[in-house]
């Protein structure tokens, strides 16, 4: 029991601190509107009345946690209970739209990242020429390049899921390249010399030594890439004027000042990212355990 509390205690403490600061922030930011309403009505608010008002505003500057929780329940659990899980008002439906482009972009980014990493490690010319451009590509703000990608792809007749996946790929391939290059170069000189004494060719060296050694680096990079891929998918929905997806919910909420809708979409996106990263971590544990690299 003590060991369990030692593991979860700090997490619980941080969560409690976040909620306390969140509620305090909601009171501080929403009190101006509450005072303004009271002044126009010619009444004086007590402290308890002020706090109650800041926690129940329809369009607060900062919604309270219980307001966001109620909105998430209304657009997820309540929808499921009524058999409308994939209604256009359901966050489950919007999450699925964003998830589809996220997974496609993640797969494309992973494939591109691994291919570039292999080329960089085994080809001196690529190492000197491609790697600097890979790094430079991440200095361009995604909000600036996303509309360009969408316009170019639309010009050649490609629309819908693919442009969002390409933007997602743009963000996700970089950590895979960096991690995989580091992983493929992780075997030391003694291990490489041993492969030479066994007369191993480049292909055997890759499959028997470099690739297995790179697995811990690859999975760590995939976790970062998955989170980046989700961000790319959400950003890709913004300039398209999408009507579905978590990005569309954020955009719609900003248009109409629906801060509760914005925060509910943000928290669902965070939960989705955490679930996807956790899934990769679970796969990592299984793979590394079967390879004899269990942590």
């Amino acid at each position: 029991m003590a060991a369990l509390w030692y593991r979860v205690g700090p997490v619980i403490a941080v969560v409690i601190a976040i909620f306390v600061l969140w509620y305090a922030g909601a009171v501080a930011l929403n009190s101006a509107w509450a005072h303004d309403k009271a002044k126009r009505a010619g009444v004086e608010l007590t402290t308890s009345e002020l706090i109650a008002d800041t926690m129940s505003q329809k369009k607060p500057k900062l919604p309270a946690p219980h307001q966001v929780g109620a909105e998430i329940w209304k657009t997820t659990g309540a929808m499921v209970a009524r058999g409308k899980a994939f209604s256009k008002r359901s966050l489950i439906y919007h999450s699925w739209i964003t998830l589809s482009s996220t997974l496609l972009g993640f797969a494309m980014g992973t494939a591109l990242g691994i291919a570039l990493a292999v080329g960089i490690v085994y080809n001196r010319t690529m190492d000197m020429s491609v790697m600097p451009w890979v790094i430079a590509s991440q200095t361009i703000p995604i909000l600036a390049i996303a509309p360009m990608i969408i316009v170019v792809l639309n010009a050649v007749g490609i629309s819908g899921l693919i442009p969002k996946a390409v933007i997602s790929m743009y963000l996700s391939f970089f950590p895979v390249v960096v991690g995989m290059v580091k992983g493929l170069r992780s075997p030391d000189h003694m291990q490489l010399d041993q492969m030479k004494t066994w007369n191993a060719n480049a292909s055997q060296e890759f499959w028997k030594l470099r690739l297995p050694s790179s697995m811990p680096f690859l999975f760590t990079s995939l976790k970062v890439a998955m989170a980046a891929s989700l961000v790319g998918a959400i950003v890709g929905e913004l300039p398209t004027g999408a009507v579905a997806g978590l990005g569309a919910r954020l955009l719609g909420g900003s248009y109409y000042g629906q801060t509760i809708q914005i925060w509910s979409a943000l928290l669902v996106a965070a939960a989705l990212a955490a679930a996807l990263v956790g899934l990769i971590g679970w796969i990592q544990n299984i793979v590394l355990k079967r390879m004899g690299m269990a942590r």
Side-chain angles (χ1 to χ4, degrees), residues 229-248:
S229 182
L230 179 61
V231 171
I234 292 174
V235 170
E237 292 169 350
L238 301 180
T240 61
V243 295
L246 295 176

Side-chain angles (χ1 to χ4, degrees), residues 82-256:
R82 290 186 294 174
K84 297 181 178 180
F86 286 89
S87 164
K88 291 185 178 180
R89 293 187 176 184
S90 169
L91 279 176
I92 297 174
Y93 166 75
H94 292 286
S95 297
W96 170 251
I97 297 297
T98 300
L99 178 62
S100 59
S101 54
T102 297
L103 294 178
L104 180 57
F106 174 74
M108 293 165 59
T110 300
L112 176 61
I114 292 175
L116 288 175
V118 172
I120 288 169
V121 169
Y122 281 94
N123 188 290
R124 177 67 175 173
T125 302
M126 284 191 66
D127 187 16
M128 299 298 292
S129 61
V130 175
M131 194 61 178
W133 284 106
V134 169
I135 296 172
S137 69
Q138 302 304 299
T139 63
I140 305 174
I142 188 61
L143 288 175
I145 200 172
M148 299 167 56
I149 293 174
I150 292 169
V151 169
V152 170
L153 292 179
N154 281 337
V156 296
I158 301 176
S159 59
L161 180 66
I162 300 300
K164 294 186 292 183
V166 170
I167 296 169
S168 182
M169 177 194 72
Y170 178 81
L171 287 182
S172 64
F173 89 98
F174 176 73
V176 178
V177 173
V178 174
M180 199 62 177
V181 167
K182 179 69 174 177
L184 292 174
R185 288 176 173 168
S186 62
D188 57 36
H189 291 293
M190 184 176 294
Q191 291 173 311
L192 295 172
D193 289 341
Q194 188 174 23
M195 294 297 290
K196 291 178 181 178
T197 62
W198 291 338
N199 199 31
N201 56 35
S203 176
Q204 291 171 323
E205 178 188 281
F206 174 79
W207 291 106
K208 300 294 185 181
L209 177 60
R210 290 190 184 272
L211 184 61
S213 299
S214 71
M215 285 296 103
F217 297 88
L218 175 61
F219 278 109
T220 301
S221 300
L222 291 180
K223 293 177 183 178
V224 179
M226 179 61 82
S229 182
L230 179 61
V231 171
I234 292 174
V235 170
E237 292 169 350
L238 301 180
T240 61
V243 295
L246 295 176
R249 292 283 293 183
L250 293 172
L251 199 61
S254 66
Y255 283 159
Y256 300 105

Side-chain angles (χ1 to χ4, degrees), residues 75-86:
T75 52
T76 55
M79 287 291 187
V80 173
R82 290 186 294 174
K84 297 181 178 180
F86 286 89

